Amino acid sequence: MPLILQILMACLLGGVLSLLAAFLVMSGLPKKWLSYAVSFSTGVLLATSMLHLLPEALSSGLTPQEVFPVLLASVLGFFALEKLTIWRHSHHHADEGHLQKSFKVHSSGHQHGDAGVLGILIGDGFHNFTDGVLIAAAFLTDPALGWATTLAVIAHEIPQEAGDFAILLAAGWARKKALFWNGVSSVASVAGGIVAFLSLEHTEAWIPYIVIVAAASFIYIAIADLLPRLKFEFQGLGWHSLCILMGIAITLL
């Protein structure tokens, strides 16, 4: 299959599968499934970044003295973006009690927080565009690495999209409307994949650095966003540990 078609398919899968899975979770599946998905995502993200992406960057000819400063700068950069509410906007609002305080819905049906909802969709679109760039860079390095990166993207998108749905529903949006506009923002990953393919295909020297940025992104999401959620998950501790190990095992396979 031509590389561009693999990239397009991976970007679509990354957006559509995670969106549908999150919609099912928010539409009646047990909420404990979401916490298990977080555990699985943590294993996938850490394994993909440390066992695939970083070794690939090192094997491309970059030295550790070149790789790890970029990794450090990228992690700090993602922290700065998050503080500016551009990157991981939804993770701080995942619990529904806080959501109801953030978006006050009156009995008349009118709600406050429309600007916040718009910011969520814009931020989600930006994030999905970036995911598309990372997927394309991984495919241009090695198609096998591209599919491993796609799996990591799908894994971390499920809890994020579920958080987005929770915010939109708490703001008074109908389920179909929330699904439609989240779907529109997810298409940005396809645009990111196309832009990266067209620009990086002729600038191969940049690809290892983008692979490092992808690794930093996954490490930051796992450590800053996902693992803190699991710190107080005392019920089902064995299942959460098993889910993390499953994520690592599937990534290795």
Side-chain angles (χ1 to χ4, degrees):
M1 185 184 297
L3 195 59
I4 182 61
L5 291 183
Q6 292 189 61
I7 291 173
L8 291 176
M9 184 182 299
C11 291
L12 284 172
L13 286 174
V16 173
L17 283 184
S18 58
L19 185 65
L20 290 178
F23 182 71
L24 289 174
V25 170
M26 296 306 299
S27 296
L29 289 180
K31 291 184 179 179
K32 67 178 181 180
W33 284 33
L34 183 57
S35 66
Y36 292 139
V38 170
S39 300
F40 178 81
S41 301
T42 301
V44 171
L45 292 174
L46 292 177
T48 300
S49 58
M50 296 183 185
L51 303 180
H52 288 313
L53 294 175
L54 289 178
E56 185 65 39
L58 288 167
S59 66
S60 69
L62 296 180
T63 66
Q65 289 73 23
E66 293 173 307
V67 169
F68 289 101
V70 175
L71 181 68
L72 174 61
S74 299
V75 170
L76 294 176
F78 289 130
F79 172 73
L81 286 174
E82 183 174 48
K83 293 299 287 184
L84 294 171
T85 70
I86 296 175
W87 188 251
R88 304 294 294 170
H89 52 81
S90 66
H91 286 298
H92 302 290
H93 305 285
D95 111 86
E96 291 182 9
H98 183 72
L99 291 174
Q100 295 297 338
K101 296 177 183 177
S102 299
F103 295 91
K104 298 178 180 178
V105 182
H106 294 294
S107 57
S108 61
H110 298 291
Q111 64 273 348
H112 295 296
D114 288 341
V117 170
L118 180 60
I120 286 167
L121 293 174
I122 293 173
D124 199 31
F126 173 79
H127 181 193
N128 289 326
F129 182 89
T130 306
D131 281 343
V133 173
L134 302 181
I135 288 173
F139 269 101
L140 288 168
T141 303
D142 181 359
L145 185 65
W147 288 112
T149 303
T150 302
L151 173 63
V153 167
I154 293 173
H156 88 257
E157 280 292 324
I158 291 175
Q160 180 199 320
E161 293 292 351
D164 289 348
F165 270 118
I167 292 173
L168 296 179
L169 294 177
W173 284 36
R175 292 184 184 274
K176 290 183 179 180
K177 182 180 178 181
L179 178 64
F180 174 77
W181 285 107
N182 264 331
V184 170
S185 70
S186 70
V187 176
S189 63
V190 177
I194 294 174
V195 169
F197 176 78
L198 295 176
S199 58
L200 294 176
E201 190 179 22
H202 306 293
T203 54
E204 294 183 359
W206 285 98
I207 293 177
Y209 293 98
I210 295 179
V211 169
I212 299 170
V213 173
S217 168
F218 292 161
I219 291 171
Y220 182 80
I221 291 168
I223 293 177
D225 287 345
L226 301 187
L227 282 177
R229 294 186 181 194
L230 302 176
K231 286 172 64 176
F232 302 102
E233 288 285 351
F234 298 112
Q235 293 185 345
L237 180 61
W239 286 110
H240 284 289
S241 301
L242 180 61
C243 287
I244 292 175
L245 293 176
M246 285 176 57
I248 295 172
I250 287 178
T251 304
L252 286 172
L253 293 174

